Amino acid sequence: MKKVITFGELMLRLAPENYLRFVQSEKYEATFGGAEANVAVSLANYGIDVAFVTKLPTHEIGQSAVNSLRKFGVDTSKIVRGGERVGIYYCEKGASQRPSKVIYDRAYSSISMAKEQDFDWDKIFEEVEWFHFTGITPALSDEVAKICLIAVKKAKEKGITISCDLNFRKKLWTKEKAGQVMSNLCQYVDYCIANEEDAKDVFGIEADNTDIYGGKLDREGYISVAKKLTDRFNFKGVAITLRESKSANDNDWSGMLYTNGQAVFSKKYSMHIVDRVGGGDSFGAGLIYSLLNGYDSQRAIEFAVAASCLKHTIEGDYNMVSVSEVLNLAGGDASGRVQR
């Protein structure tokens, strides 16, 4: 079976119930999530042999984080135990014209304080075919950025396919620092995943004739972005999610995959959103699954977008859907009719 490794931070997610604001809520729902962990859960649900790599404390909250992955079949045997705390993020769901809001409390988390010697990448990468990380992980600290560079170099040396979701987070680092660090890392990446803002924020590459806040997207502009990224880093493929935001609750959702000088676009879904956190991660997981299974470009982007569309209907970070459910939607069954 094909083996995948994802590397990043797994956090405790604390969220007010329903659509309450932080200042209204007297209790918070506790779950776990994080970009690369979300990808791992999706892949495990698709039957892929996937392991998540991070560092977590040995106390009960750290163990609860590990358990949240184990129950979905993610291999947690490569998680390093130690350090003082699990990172936390608070998530307030938006509604209508009020956007969702995230507050981080992740300073001094175990993974952000990790050291190079914590990870034996030769051992981690034994019999591995694919390695995935995001731009969130190197943003955690200079040492973690160094660890990421060691990991991608070792993966490249071993002939492992590498994917990276740019995932720029302005609350973690500056555009200038992101551009510098990610430029070094992307030299080793095969497949780059981005949204309509990432390429601009990290590399200064902007789509023409596009207004993300007004919901206006131009296909030719995104083809140009993908071509410029490919020319700069020699990527095998660039996948871009295309979100047209009508409100916090209602978005149009599609995607593009650019490979071998050609771009293909998925069908567009009009979504009524339950929880958008993890939407990009579910897209990345769908793309990885598709490419591992030899899907052509059109089928791969359709699967990735359909998987992500379904994630927007599910509470929490993790995308708890099956391959058959994704294929049904990608195949045209978007009615939402009761399955009996």
Side-chain angles (χ1 to χ4, degrees):
M1 182 182 290
K2 301 175 177 68
K3 181 83 173 183
V4 177
I5 296 289
T6 73
F7 173 57
E9 180 167 26
L10 179 58
M11 293 179 290
L12 174 65
R13 168 177 164 164
L14 297 177
E17 294 180 313
N18 301 313
Y19 292 95
L20 291 178
R21 305 213 69 187
F22 290 134
V23 295
Q24 289 178 290
S25 187
E26 297 180 354
K27 54 185 176 181
Y28 288 73
E29 182 181 16
T31 55
F32 291 92
E36 297 88 354
N38 300 343
V39 171
V41 169
S42 280
L43 291 172
N45 284 333
Y46 299 153
I48 296 293
D49 184 1
V50 57
F52 178 64
V53 178
T54 191
K55 187 173 183 178
L56 286 166
T58 57
H59 56 51
E60 288 85 351
I61 305 304
Q63 188 60 45
S64 295
V66 172
N67 292 348
S68 77
L69 298 176
R70 280 181 174 169
K71 68 181 181 180
F72 293 107
V74 175
D75 179 356
T76 60
S77 65
K78 303 178 190 300
I79 293 177
V80 176
R81 304 304 293 270
E84 298 297 324
R85 68 185 301 253
V86 177
I88 299 171
Y89 86 94
Y90 299 86
C91 182
E92 176 187 282
K93 285 203 297 185
S96 191
Q97 279 65 49
R98 174 172 60 82
S100 296
K101 183 175 290 187
V102 168
I103 297 174
Y104 290 131
D105 179 18
R106 60 201 300 181
Y108 307 108
S109 66
S110 291
I111 184 62
S112 70
M113 302 298 289
K115 302 298 181 184
E116 175 185 338
Q117 56 267 29
D118 285 331
F119 304 99
D120 182 349
W121 291 105
D122 273 312
K123 187 174 181 180
I124 291 169
F125 284 144
E126 287 178 357
E127 299 182 355
V128 167
E129 185 167 343
W130 197 292
F131 174 57
H132 178 77
F133 72 105
T134 80
I136 297 171
T137 304
L140 297 176
S141 72
D142 289 343
E143 182 73 8
V144 178
K146 180 181 177 183
I147 293 168
C148 285
L149 187 59
I150 293 168
V152 294
K153 286 181 176 180
K154 181 61 66 174
K156 184 62 66 175
E157 176 186 311
K158 291 179 174 292
I160 296 168
T161 300
I162 303 168
S163 58
C164 176
D165 189 331
L166 293 181
N167 262 356
F168 176 70
R169 297 291 185 267
K170 64 183 179 182
K171 292 185 177 181
L172 295 181
W173 57 357
T174 65
K175 294 178 182 180
E176 292 73 23
K177 182 70 174 287
Q180 175 188 353
V181 172
M182 295 307 295
S183 290
N184 290 334
L185 290 169
C186 282
Q187 297 175 53
Y188 302 92
V189 169
D190 297 294
Y191 290 93
C192 177
I193 302 165
N195 66 20
E196 60 267 25
E197 298 173 85
D198 289 333
K200 176 184 176 182
D201 288 336
V202 178
F203 298 124
I205 297 173
E206 185 174 3
D208 296 329
N209 301 318
T210 292
D211 176 7
I212 62 171
Y213 299 107
K216 177 187 175 186
L217 303 179
D218 180 79
R219 287 191 171 195
E220 293 301 319
Y222 285 102
I223 294 172
S224 174
V225 167
K227 184 179 186 305
K228 289 175 183 176
L229 285 169
T230 300
D231 290 345
R232 184 180 300 189
F233 296 107
N234 197 32
F235 294 133
K236 290 182 180 178
V238 175
I240 297 179
T241 56
L242 306 175
R243 184 185 297 275
E244 299 169 74
S245 294
K246 300 175 181 179
S247 71
N249 299 102
D250 295 287
N251 291 178
D252 285 346
W253 184 246
S254 59
M256 181 195 79
L257 178 59
Y258 181 89
T259 57
N260 300 316
Q262 299 293 321
V264 293
F265 289 82
S266 75
K267 64 170 65 73
K268 183 186 294 187
Y269 298 94
S270 293
M271 305 184 302
H272 186 73
I273 297 170
V274 171
D275 191 336
R276 65 167 284 176
V277 176
D281 307 322
S282 58
F283 173 85
L287 186 72
I288 293 168
Y289 174 84
S290 301
L291 296 175
L292 279 172
N293 283 281
Y295 288 15
D296 63 29
S297 293
Q298 188 66 55
R299 193 179 178 203
I301 194 63
E302 296 290 0
F303 187 94
V305 170
S308 185
C309 178
L310 289 172
K311 166 62 195 76
H312 285 76
T313 71
I314 296 170
E315 295 276 7
D317 273 53
Y318 298 155
N319 192 21
M320 293 171 277
V321 298
S322 66
V323 170
S324 62
E325 288 174 313
V326 177
L327 291 175
N328 283 343
L329 178 58
D333 184 1
S335 67
R337 291 175 65 86
V338 176
Q339 303 295 307
R340 303 184 195 273

